[in-house]
């Protein structure tokens, strides 16, 4: 059982609500004052016994039938796409619109795809049998976890069904995807990730109702995709925190990717918006070359005729294993700017800092601020936000439990930023970390702390990152 006492370190001021945490990540342009971080203790509540998932009554046949209306054929790419890395000019990655470089990077520091087992063996790969994961998904081998679409391992993308809903009381279209749900039966039917913890995300969820086609009529929540993403990094070697930033898409005060379906047993979905108030002709980019003033920055291609969307995948680790995930929304503007995703203010109502205690909606994501960056993608130990802002590739974050490894998966990740101490760096101890308890042990040993030497713990914001695939 993980520790359940956390310390909120970083937050932001929103005009729509009062916060007791300090103003560290403010709206718009900001100087990030890491020295203002402070320790605010949170009292742990009852832990989930033995990590067991929450038991819920099964859905009625009528409610299940409504959810099954949302089932779509497994989505497949309609065309061959160029690798996502080719979409971004290397000289402008911190002001580029779109997904940024893809998961298949140019070197070992930006490409986590495992080598085949034939490396170093005296027989070719054709002599090896199927991966053990084909017998038991918790064993070694690739495992696709989000099964509503097709993963393109060559380009580091997934193509999944695109849905068209409505904003209640209007004719405004809400184009969205489904990635996770808090009911195991619905998850199995639709090929989505099951997350028990989403049940506790109600305070940070919009509400909506399913129509006869299984599409959602959302009560509230809109996103403006027109803003231009831009980041001005800090000085070389300390690019994080940036001097200024602006996210590429901004939700209103009622926007969260999570939605509670009122007319179908209050099941909660993760339904990130990818376009709003546009018709199909305005977002018809099945071959790529997407207009990012109209769609989410993580979209690589979108086909509103065949109702599919191709999304960029992000490299990371879960308990030492390389994984691919999506990055769709963040509860603060700075996180959204760095993540190439949507600022979702309503996500700020998620209960953070409690990890696996009772009623927690989140799982932890561990983000280095000052990991190794020398050599960029050629450095196999590359990791962290400064590396991300220096070379444009993603920071190789560490996430907690995912399906097949643990029972406590949630797509709502409680960000825990950490920094290597000056002493650890001077002694040559700094490296790439890949596992939650390795990080927690290094915290205990005094090798890493919160940013700026602050106590390690919750940084006061969350990221919506649905898991897609475990690579080994």
């Amino acid at each position: 059982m993980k520790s359940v006492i956390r310390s909120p370190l970083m937050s932001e001021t929103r005009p729509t609500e009062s916060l007791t945490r300090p103003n560290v990540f403010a709206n718009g342009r900001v100087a990030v004052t890491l020295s203002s971080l402070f320790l605010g203790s949170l009292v742990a509540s009852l832990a989930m016994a033995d990590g067991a998932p929450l038991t819920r009554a099964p859905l009625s046949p009528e409610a299940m039938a409504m959810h099954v209306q949302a089932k779509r054929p497994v989505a497949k790419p309609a065309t061959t796409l160029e690798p996502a890395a080719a979409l971004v000019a290397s000289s402008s990655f911190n002001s580029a619109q779109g997904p940024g470089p893809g998961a298949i990077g140019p070197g070992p520091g930006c490409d986590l795809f495992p080598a085949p087992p034939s490396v170093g063996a005296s027989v070719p790969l054709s002599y090896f049998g199927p991966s053990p994961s084909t017998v038991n998904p918790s064993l070694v081998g690739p495992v696709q976890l989000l099964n509503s679409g097709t993963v393109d391992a060559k380009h580091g993308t997934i193509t999944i069904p695109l849905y068209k809903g409505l904003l209640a009381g209007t004719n405004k279209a809400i184009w969205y995807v489904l990635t996770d749900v808090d009911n195991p039966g619905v998850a199995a039917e639709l090929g989505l990730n099951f997350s028990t913890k989403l049940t506790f995300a109600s305070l940070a969820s919009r509400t909506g109702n399913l129509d006869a086609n299984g599409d959602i009529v959302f009560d509230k929540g809109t996103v403006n995709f027109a803003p231009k993403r831009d980041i001005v990094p800090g000085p070389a070697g300390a690019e994080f925190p940036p001097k200024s930033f602006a996210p590429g898409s901004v939700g209103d005060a009622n926007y969260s990717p999570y939605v509670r379906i009122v007319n179908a047993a209050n099941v909660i979905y993760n339904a990130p918006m990818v376009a709003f108030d546009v018709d199909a002709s305005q977002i018809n980019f099945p071959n790529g070359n997407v207009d990012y003033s109209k769609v989410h920055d993580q979209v690589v291609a979108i086909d509103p005729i065949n109702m599919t969307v191709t999304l960029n995948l992000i490299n990371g680790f879960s308990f030492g294993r390389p994984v691919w995930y999506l990055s769709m929304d963040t509860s603060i503007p700075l996180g959204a700017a760095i993540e190439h995703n949507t600022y979702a203010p309503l996500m700020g109502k998620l209960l953070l800092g409690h990890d696996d205690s009772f009623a927690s909606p989140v799982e932890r994501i561990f983000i280095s601020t000052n990991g190794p960056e020398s050599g960029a993608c050629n450095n196999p130990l590359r990791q962290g936000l400064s590396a991300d802002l220096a070379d444009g590739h993603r920071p190789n974050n560490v996430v907690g439990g995912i399906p097949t490894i643990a029972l406590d998966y949630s797509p709502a990740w409680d960000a825990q930023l950490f920094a290597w101490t000056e002493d650890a760096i001077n002694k040559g101890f700094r490296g790439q970390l890949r596992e939650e308890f390795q990080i927690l042990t290094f915290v205990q040993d005094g090798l890493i702390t919160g940013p700026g030497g602050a106590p390690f713990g919750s940084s006061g914001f969350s990221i919506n990152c649905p898991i897609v695939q475990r690579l080994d």
Side-chain angles (χ1 to χ4, degrees), residues 109 112 317 372 380-383 396 420 430-434 438:
L112 305 185
F317 301 100
L381 300 181
R382 178 191 172 279
Q383 188 172 50
N396 295 331
W420 290 90
R430 178 169 57 175
Q432 185 183 81
L433 304 182
R434 297 189 171 195
Q438 178 191 32

Side-chain angles (χ1 to χ4, degrees), residues 97-381:
Q97 312 310 298
I104 307 298
C110 302
D111 183 355
L112 305 185
F113 205 85
S118 55
V119 172
S122 59
V123 293
L125 184 61
S126 60
Y127 281 73
F128 287 79
S131 299
S133 59
T134 60
V135 177
N136 182 336
S138 67
L139 298 177
V140 173
V143 178
Q144 186 170 336
L145 300 168
L146 178 60
N147 289 304
S148 60
T150 303
V151 170
D152 182 343
K154 179 180 178 181
H155 298 119
T157 61
I158 184 171
T159 302
I160 58 178
L162 175 67
Y163 292 82
K164 182 182 180 182
L166 288 174
L167 182 64
T170 75
N171 290 320
K172 295 180 177 180
I174 291 180
W175 303 86
Y176 65 96
V177 297
L178 298 176
T179 59
D180 310 87
V181 66
D182 74 337
N183 182 278
V186 175
E189 285 285 350
L190 304 187
L192 307 180
N193 294 316
F194 167 56
S195 171
T196 298
K197 286 183 170 183
L198 273 183
T199 297
F200 301 119
S202 184
L203 287 176
S205 299
R206 294 181 287 167
T207 55
N209 292 276
L210 292 175
D211 67 14
N213 298 317
D215 294 316
I216 302 174
V217 179
F218 297 86
D219 291 331
K220 295 178 181 179
T222 66
V223 174
N224 180 6
F225 292 97
K228 292 186 176 181
R229 172 185 174 271
D230 185 61
I231 298 178
V232 177
E239 289 82 0
F240 182 85
K243 296 177 182 177
S244 64
F245 60 88
S249 52
V250 178
D252 67 14
N254 297 307
Y255 175 69
S256 164
Y258 314 122
V259 55
R260 178 168 57 86
I261 306 301
V262 177
N263 69 337
N266 289 304
V267 167
I268 295 180
Y269 283 97
N270 188 7
M273 194 186 301
V274 295
F276 174 67
D277 195 22
V278 290
D279 60 37
S281 65
Q282 294 174 282
I283 56 170
N284 188 27
F285 305 105
N287 300 313
N289 297 314
V290 175
D291 181 352
Y292 290 109
S293 70
K294 293 182 173 63
V295 302
H296 195 289
D297 273 6
Q298 288 298 310
V299 172
V300 176
I302 185 167
D303 186 345
I305 308 304
N306 293 300
M307 296 301 286
T308 64
V309 59
T310 300
L311 299 169
N312 189 47
L313 296 175
I314 311 297
N315 287 323
F317 301 100
S318 175
F319 290 95
R321 299 186 180 192
V323 299
W324 280 344
Y325 59 83
L326 301 171
S327 184
M328 302 304 296
D329 310 90
T330 307
S331 66
I332 61 171
L334 173 55
I338 292 176
E339 287 288 317
H340 302 245
N341 67 22
T342 298
Y343 168 41
L346 189 57
M347 282 178 61
K349 293 186 179 294
L350 284 170
L351 175 67
L352 303 180
H354 287 210
D355 198 20
D356 293 340
S357 61
F358 175 72
S360 172
V362 298
E363 179 63 346
R364 295 196 273 183
I365 184 169
F366 303 89
I367 305 172
S368 172
T369 61
N370 66 343
E373 63 175 282
S374 176
C377 290
N378 292 324
N379 184 349
L381 300 181

